[in-house]
Amino acid sequence: MLTSFTRNYQDNSTEAGFQFTFYCDICNDGYKSSFIESETYKKGKLFRGIGRGASALGSILGGNMSRLGYGADRATGILGERFEGRSPEWQKEHEQAFERAKNEAERHFHRCPSCNKYVCGHCWNEDEGLCTDCAPRQEVYVARARADAMRRNIDDAGAAATVWQGKIESKTTICPNCGKPAGTGKFCNNCGASMALKVCPRCGTQNAQTVRFCNNCGENLSAAPAAAGKCPSCGMENPPGTKFCGGCGNKLI
């Protein structure tokens, strides 16, 4: 059972050798231990080499020597498979290599007495003897607090700023005459057609140029425009759809 000085590590070992990576509990930066070659793997390579040499010699000499080489090669193959299957010798080497790797890596980490995390040098507050989660470095914390305050001030100033003072009103953006963007003026930038909204002669509601019926009362806007509303009381001409005279207040509709 492998027990690390830190809970945060990775086993990078292979059949050929042993290596481990230990990580900081805060920033996850890692330290990779030195590679240790497996002695059982080296022995396996040696036996496989002997087996191949004997087989080649047997093929040259022929007869009994060939059969002897074949037998040696078979024995070497069985031994090689044993190493590939992680033999007890390999397992013992693995545990010993892990102990060496822990001792090597532990020098690059600090154990925080407050939270028991193992951290790298970047995450260790030397002045306080604690990790930077438990005791942030003063200059770093002050700089971060200032940056946070600056962002809040900018957000507050942006929320209170008046960046547009135009009049909120409905405008026709596409010219009903030429079908192109009309601009912000009273007439189309392309063909000069009027961009004024249609005024319903019945209720006075403003409607887009392309609307055939009033959005408010359903009046047919395609019909001939109604005559100006002349007040029978004072004779003042009022816009179509006006309910009361602008001069004397007399009811027109």
Side-chain angles (χ1 to χ4, degrees):
M1 179 66 179
L2 301 180
T3 304
S4 173
F5 71 90
T6 172
R7 67 187 71 84
N8 196 2
Y9 76 96
Q10 182 178 6
D11 190 345
N12 309 119
S13 302
T14 65
E15 179 193 5
F18 313 100
Q19 196 168 37
F20 306 86
T21 303
F22 301 86
Y23 296 97
C24 171
D25 284 334
I26 293 181
C27 69
N28 283 324
D29 278 356
Y31 174 81
K32 183 172 287 187
S33 64
S34 302
F35 180 78
I36 303 173
E37 187 175 7
S38 170
E39 293 296 328
T40 55
Y41 179 76
K42 288 195 295 185
K43 291 178 182 178
K45 288 197 299 183
L46 176 62
F47 280 113
R48 285 192 293 271
I50 294 174
R52 286 192 294 270
S55 178
L57 181 62
S59 64
I60 294 174
L61 299 178
N64 292 333
M65 289 298 295
S66 177
R67 286 191 293 273
L68 177 61
Y70 175 78
D73 190 47
R74 286 289 298 164
T76 303
I78 294 173
L79 189 59
E81 290 175 0
R82 180 188 176 191
F83 292 139
E84 292 175 0
R86 303 295 190 270
S87 66
E89 290 83 356
W90 187 95
Q91 296 286 353
K92 185 176 181 180
E93 278 192 294
H94 181 250
E95 292 181 4
Q96 293 173 349
F98 184 70
E99 290 298 323
R100 289 177 56 183
K102 284 198 303 181
N103 294 333
E104 177 187 340
E106 197 166 8
R107 298 193 298 268
H108 300 273
F109 290 85
H110 304 272
R111 184 175 185 268
C112 178
S114 174
C115 63
N116 295 323
K117 291 179 181 177
Y118 282 90
V119 299
C120 64
H122 294 294
C123 300
W124 180 252
N125 188 333
E126 302 86 354
D127 296 334
E128 301 296 336
L130 298 171
C131 72
T132 53
D133 273 0
C134 295
R137 293 186 181 91
Q138 179 177 320
E139 63 277 7
V140 175
Y141 196 81
V142 169
R144 179 176 177 178
R146 286 174 57 86
D148 290 342
M150 179 188 68
R151 284 193 290 267
R152 289 194 302 270
N153 292 342
I154 292 175
D155 291 340
D156 292 343
T162 301
V163 296
W164 187 74
Q165 295 181 339
K167 184 179 179 182
I168 302 296
E169 60 182 5
S170 297
K171 287 184 177 293
T172 301
T173 57
I174 301 298
C175 177
N177 185 46
C178 66
K180 297 181 179 180
T184 59
K186 295 181 179 180
F187 299 92
C188 176
N189 291 339
N190 298 285
C191 67
S194 174
M195 291 292 100
L197 298 176
K198 287 183 180 180
V199 179
C200 175
R202 181 179 180 183
C203 67
T205 301
Q206 292 183 331
N207 297 270
Q209 287 279 357
T210 55
V211 173
R212 296 177 59 190
F213 296 91
C214 177
N215 292 325
N216 183 56
C217 67
E219 178 73 10
N220 187 354
L221 303 179
S222 301
K230 186 175 182 179
C231 177
S233 177
C234 66
M236 180 177 178
E237 296 289 344
N238 294 276
T242 304
K243 295 182 179 181
F244 296 92
C245 175
C248 66
N250 185 48
K251 186 176 181 179
L252 301 177
I253 299 178

